[in-house]
Amino acid sequence: MAFDPKRAISGNHGELWIDNEKYNEATQCQGKAKADKVDVPMCGKKGKPKKNTGWEGSGTVKLTKITTKLTKKVATSIKNGVALNATIISQLSDPDAYGYESVAFYGCEFDEATLADWESSKLVEESYPFTFTDFDFLNEIVADDQYQG
């Protein structure tokens, strides 16, 4: 299959839900699963062989500041020492794409809340780093010959 540039996906059609509430002010969502590895020492090897022992999930959501709702929710949970344990769903689509991709992040705990951060003549954005304990691909984008529309 040849590369078709119009199939490149733009983030302009991304969507974000936190605990089944859609955040139209979302401007970015990133989630990563990173392998936890330990060194496995071996005689005669100069390199460091590794063994995968698990994984950790982390990410960030970014919003244009519209309300205090999420900031207050996250900051209050941090202040009180109570984890939110939220579910975050990211959806990435584009009208020219072969479909759309949805990823659910489970057991999300937000790491920080910025209580104030603004500058004259600039839109205020808020970033919320989080960790998660599980994830699922709810929908995936497939190649042209597999696309069902």
Side-chain angles (χ1 to χ4, degrees):
M1 174 174 53
F3 173 70
D4 183 352
K6 76 177 185 181
R7 299 298 186 185
I9 298 172
S10 166
N12 288 347
H13 301 280
E15 296 180 6
L16 176 73
W17 286 268
I18 301 174
D19 288 336
N20 295 316
E21 183 175 351
K22 187 175 181 182
Y23 282 78
N24 290 320
E25 63 270 35
T27 59
Q28 180 181 350
C29 181
Q30 180 185 66
K32 294 182 178 185
K34 180 181 176 188
D36 286 333
K37 297 179 182 182
V38 295
D39 291 343
V40 180
M42 295 181 74
C43 294
K45 294 277 186 184
K46 291 187 180 188
K48 290 185 177 182
K50 307 280 186 192
K51 175 163 179 68
N52 187 332
T53 59
W55 65 277
E56 61 181 285
S58 64
T60 303
V61 295
K62 186 184 281 188
L63 313 173
T64 300
K65 182 147 183 100
I66 303 292
T67 69
T68 307
K69 185 170 64 173
L70 186 57
T71 303
K72 185 176 180 183
K73 185 176 183 178
V74 172
T76 301
S77 75
I78 291 170
K79 182 178 181 179
N80 295 334
V82 179
L84 286 178
N85 197 25
T87 297
I88 296 174
I89 297 177
S90 166
Q91 181 171 300
L92 180 61
S93 64
D94 188 302
D96 281 330
Y98 291 120
Y100 65 97
E101 176 181 274
S102 298
V103 182
F105 304 100
Y106 304 108
C108 298
E109 295 184 22
F110 291 96
D111 302 329
E112 64 183 54
T114 302
L115 304 178
D117 185 8
W118 57 269
E119 187 176 336
S120 177
S121 300
K122 291 190 177 183
L123 287 178
V124 177
E125 290 188 320
E126 302 173 311
S127 292
Y128 297 92
F130 64 93
T131 57
F132 58 93
T133 57
D134 200 3
F135 66 93
D136 283 318
F137 284 90
L138 305 177
N139 297 288
E140 60 183 280
I141 300 168
V142 296
D144 186 37
D145 58 341
Q146 301 170 354
Y147 183 57
Q148 300 296 313

